Amino acid sequence: MADRELSFPTSLGTSDAKQIRLLGQDLAADLMGKVGFGELAYWLVAGRRPTRGEVRVFEAVLVALADHGFTPTAIAARLTYLSAPESLQGALAAGLLGGGSRFLGVTEDCGRFLHDVVQRLPEVPADDQGWDAVALEAVQRARAQDKLIPGLGHPVHKEQDPRTQVLIAIADEEGTRGPHLRLFEAIGRVHPQVLNRALPLNGAGVCGAALADLGLPVDLLRGFALLARAAGLLGHLAEERRNPVGMEIYLSVDRNALYQSPQDQ
Amino acid sequence: MADRELSFPTSLGTSDAKQIRLLGQDLAADLMGKVGFGELAYWLVAGRRPTRGEVRVFEAVLVALADHGFTPTAIAARLTYLSAPESLQGALAAGLLGGGSRFLGVTEDCGRFLHDVVQRLPEVPADDQGWDAVALEAVQRARAQDKLIPGLGHPVHKEQDPRTQVLIAIADEEGTRGPHLRLFEAIGRVHPQVLNRALPLNGAGVCGAALADLGLPVDLLRGFALLARAAGLLGHLAEERRNPVGMEIYLSVDRNALYQSPQDQ
Amino acid sequence: MADRELSFPTSLGTSDAKQIRLLGQDLAADLMGKVGFGELAYWLVAGRRPTRGEVRVFEAVLVALADHGFTPTAIAARLTYLSAPESLQGALAAGLLGGGSRFLGVTEDCGRFLHDVVQRLPEVPADDQGWDAVALEAVQRARAQDKLIPGLGHPVHKEQDPRTQVLIAIADEEGTRGPHLRLFEAIGRVHPQVLNRALPLNGAGVCGAALADLGLPVDLLRGFALLARAAGLLGHLAEERRNPVGMEIYLSVDRNALYQSPQDQ
Amino acid sequence: MADRELSFPTSLGTSDAKQIRLLGQDLAADLMGKVGFGELAYWLVAGRRPTRGEVRVFEAVLVALADHGFTPTAIAARLTYLSAPESLQGALAAGLLGGGSRFLGVTEDCGRFLHDVVQRLPEVPADDQGWDAVALEAVQRARAQDKLIPGLGHPVHKEQDPRTQVLIAIADEEGTRGPHLRLFEAIGRVHPQVLNRALPLNGAGVCGAALADLGLPVDLLRGFALLARAAGLLGHLAEERRNPVGMEIYLSVDRNALYQSPQDQ
């Protein structure tokens, strides 16, 4: 292996003594002060600069997903900060590590489910009636395979998730309400025929649909939920610094520990 | 400990069946589509909504810090994704864990250094001459204690870091060029008198100064560098998915491993 | 929710002013100096004290999995240590995060594959011929479903993995060579009939089989690979401290970065 | 940079088609089944094979530090497992990230404090009286600098930590009760003269002293606490799988959240 063969291509950041380039742009001259942070995050992942409308939808998603109060991930971040306050990166990382299948994966699962249906369509339906037929078949197929339909139902918002209609309206205003959102809406209309009960379209699901309509890779949708959550976790760590509750959480568990013999578990 | 005593105060997210609230606002009605993502991140940490000018400076900082190409943290994230592609959160967390003292800590160290000087000032200097005197004393004191002055010098941008003047100009335009930036600029002018050589004010340092002038807590400045880097790492992971280099990096190390007896180390 | 309802059962550690108890034992009087570390790790997961023979097999597995040189996980840990040397826990965590499906998951995947077959057997075969029939059917079924048989093949040890026979022999000596290892050995004998080529039984796979024969939960087998790797990573971090290579690895990538337009990827 | 210059020395793992070597040994022939896991961990970090007595002391330390029940780190690991059960490595990493200055750092801090004193001694004291004089001066100096003496005091074991005398006795039996433990014991005798109250020598501290007497690098002592804790965390995750409490912990916090205006914090 000769070194001239060592070559690591990238379209992200490079620099020399005079200039820092990012995504082929001059970072200082063309990006700082001219490009928003959400816009840059989109550009970094998609490899193309988003339009103003796409940025608005994208940032609405990030805002929707940033924080949900004392989630397991927020508690894990606070307890890690309590134990290792000198390492803010460790507390943030611990919080993000909970961004897996259960509490943060719905966005990606829903985007992927919709994407799988959409990309198999011979042609895109022309109206809601057409989407309803596609949705009905998709829900029936999932049901026949004993699979969950991601994006349906919410433990707290049992009737309606307040984020859902708002995000659809924003996407509509900005011209990005595409096949993934339309299919998701249709699932919302038809699923009671199959499941025999009406579940709300949840916020994490609608975010996945909206991101997929922006053309972002469905395998990386969880990444945007994580980016959004990084901001929320910084909020928790800032609050933990001002007004700590981590010690109280820890003690409320430790004081209520009950020894049990392994045989009894 | 009676449970009614269990109470975990927070000013971040709360929700009930009808509404999700964040920072005291109605998430769906007041924030989604109306507040940018950078703006929300600032609000979450500072506990107050920033002005439009503050947001522009803040986002310019995040843009400046998002990516620097194949840094150790970007490589660590890519190698982790190579090993565990099913866990995007793990790859992102691994990358952020390198956000410590050496490669990402300058922002916080610089903000804190400046803040320590600024908060001890009996009164804020009226002009550059006044700031130069403050800066000279601060640099001399650090020097006498064998401490580094954070924010000076850069391994690549040996003469000038292109981000520095641009960020100062943005802060000036937006009216947030306050005591931390002024002191930092003064350090740039006077340090050659003490150190006997001229070093550029680096980008990480000017970012710390600008964030401190925004009134953000200096103990959490590293957090913003981490948030910015989270976006950059997502860019690396998206690129690794499209155009992987992780395996080649791994093999370039493994193939060039040279066994050495422990006694010889 | 009244607090008396708050109760968190555990059979692990508890303590009061006079005593620390772990697994129902007096930590200081009964465990320290009397129980080995591997033995304790086994006990903590299994909820029962292992026999001396079980400990020997278990520790042989941990020794087998502890280190494989400059793996992606070892490189990620070293680069994280380079960036954040003040946070050893962060470097260790970054290394462990690569312990996913590709480079460290074979142990668990293999154990689970064998377990799924074994637990469906109406009765355990009496001899190698009986195991061969079971193995043949399992390999054929996996093949028909286009599934990989975990534990077969190795990128470096193309003919024979030196760990495999040694671990089987140790398990045999200690009386723990049970159905999972026997099935794995049978797969080694019969798979060429189905795959039309002979692959070695690899070390990660045989470790999974041996752990499953110890009665450890197959959903947690990856955990033992992670524990073993934690020791290996500490070795890398100790070596990185004595004789660093992280900076050289980073520079060998960064210096060979090649900018590419996003459109060309 | 020519590739022949690329060379990454290591004394850990290497392999070729026939053999896997670790620490200069044949992994399969010389280590598996012949070397215990604790012994290997010691060897990996120290670069030399420990004696049988050293292994016993070392493993007693790991056993002492493995678990302390529902610590913040154990809770963080369980909550991460609740959120992302598919990624055991993430839950383990999240738990280890709390292994910082407050809850797991005492071992390293104490070892380093003792080491700093010991290495400045012109000669090693001959008897307890000599050690008492050294200890008295060290405690007085720390006190004069407003520094804490690490290893003194415990929130639960207010009079005596049951691990301390046991570990000293084991080290004594094995001939590894050296200057660090003797100094630590002396601090236990003399500190009331300076602090005007008697605090117990705690378990984390005595572990740091014992590890330092084994000749292990004081900068890496936290690493052994992390290794020990990795086993304890696996115990928690195994228990969480059998008998989950994570959801109940999360709900006990979330249900008791109390919204507070940012201005009131």
Side-chain angles (χ1 to χ4, degrees), chain B residues 178-214:
Chain B
H180 301 88
L181 276 169
R182 289 194 182 275
L183 173 58
F184 192 55
E185 296 171 63
I187 289 173
R189 289 189 298 267
V190 305
H191 76 272
Q193 295 176 43
V194 185
L195 307 185
N196 295 319
R197 57 180 180 148
L199 294 167
L201 296 173
N202 63 41
V206 76
C207 287
L211 293 173
D213 271 342
L214 293 174

Side-chain angles (χ1 to χ4, degrees), chain B residues 1 3 86 101 242 265, chain C residues 1 3 86 101 242 265:
Chain B
M1 190 171 69
D3 184 49
E86 75 284 2
S101 59
R242 287 196 306 270
Q265 289 198 330
Chain C
M1 190 171 67
D3 184 47
E86 75 285 3
S101 58
R242 287 196 305 270
Q265 289 199 332

Side-chain angles (χ1 to χ4, degrees), chain A:
Chain A
M1 189 170 69
D3 184 48
R4 56 195 144 184
E5 292 173 33
L6 267 192
S7 167
F8 302 109
T10 181
S11 63
L12 304 176
T14 54
S15 64
D16 59 30
K18 297 276 179 202
Q19 212 185 36
I20 302 173
R21 295 190 71 82
L22 183 59
L23 294 158
Q25 314 297 310
D26 182 319
L27 175 71
D30 301 333
L31 299 179
M32 287 171 64
K34 296 178 180 162
V35 168
F37 179 58
E39 187 177 359
L40 182 72
Y42 190 127
W43 193 345
L44 280 162
V45 173
R48 67 172 179 85
R49 186 169 188 172
T51 66
R52 184 179 290 264
E54 288 171 329
V55 172
R56 183 161 170 252
V57 175
F58 181 68
E59 296 206 298
V61 168
L62 295 182
V63 167
L65 298 175
D67 183 57
H68 296 97
F70 288 118
T71 52
T73 63
I75 302 171
R78 285 177 181 251
L79 289 171
T80 305
Y81 186 65
L82 171 70
S83 295
E86 75 284 3
S87 172
L88 194 70
Q89 70 271 23
L92 182 60
L96 292 176
L97 287 171
S101 58
R102 287 218 195 141
F103 279 77
L104 220 63
V106 175
T107 297
E108 183 166 314
D109 293 343
C110 187
R112 185 179 287 125
F113 177 85
L114 299 170
H115 188 68
D116 288 347
V117 176
V118 166
Q119 68 178 359
R120 280 201 309 261
L121 288 177
E123 60 183 327
V124 172
D127 54 19
D128 280 358
Q129 208 179 340
W131 279 113
D132 284 1
V134 172
L136 190 62
E137 198 198 316
V139 173
Q140 283 168 335
R141 192 170 49 237
R143 185 69 170 172
Q145 296 170 348
D146 273 329
K147 285 186 187 159
L148 284 180
I149 294 101
L152 281 183
H154 194 282
V156 175
H157 311 298
K158 290 181 195 295
E159 297 199 2
Q160 202 173 5
D161 188 316
R163 294 166 293 185
T164 306
Q165 289 310 317
V166 168
L167 189 59
I168 292 170
I170 293 169
D172 196 52
E173 282 166 37
E174 303 298 344
T176 76
R177 184 173 162 226
H180 300 88
L181 277 169
R182 287 192 185 275
L183 173 58
F184 192 55
E185 295 172 62
I187 289 173
R189 290 189 297 267
V190 306
H191 77 271
Q193 295 175 45
V194 186
L195 307 184
N196 295 319
R197 57 181 181 146
L199 294 166
L201 295 173
N202 65 41
V206 76
C207 287
L211 292 173
D213 271 343
L214 293 175
L216 294 164
V218 290
D219 291 347
L220 293 173
L221 296 189
R222 187 185 297 184
F224 301 110
L226 292 165
L227 178 63
R229 192 51 56 96
L233 290 168
L234 285 181
H236 279 277
L237 295 171
E239 188 170 81
E240 185 66 21
R241 190 177 148 276
R242 287 196 305 272
N243 200 18
V245 299
M247 181 61 84
E248 187 67 20
I249 292 173
Y250 154 50
L251 292 175
S252 77
V253 179
D254 189 50
R255 283 180 190 152
N256 291 293
L258 180 72
Y259 181 74
Q260 203 175 48
S261 161
Q263 287 74 31
D264 297 338
Q265 289 198 333

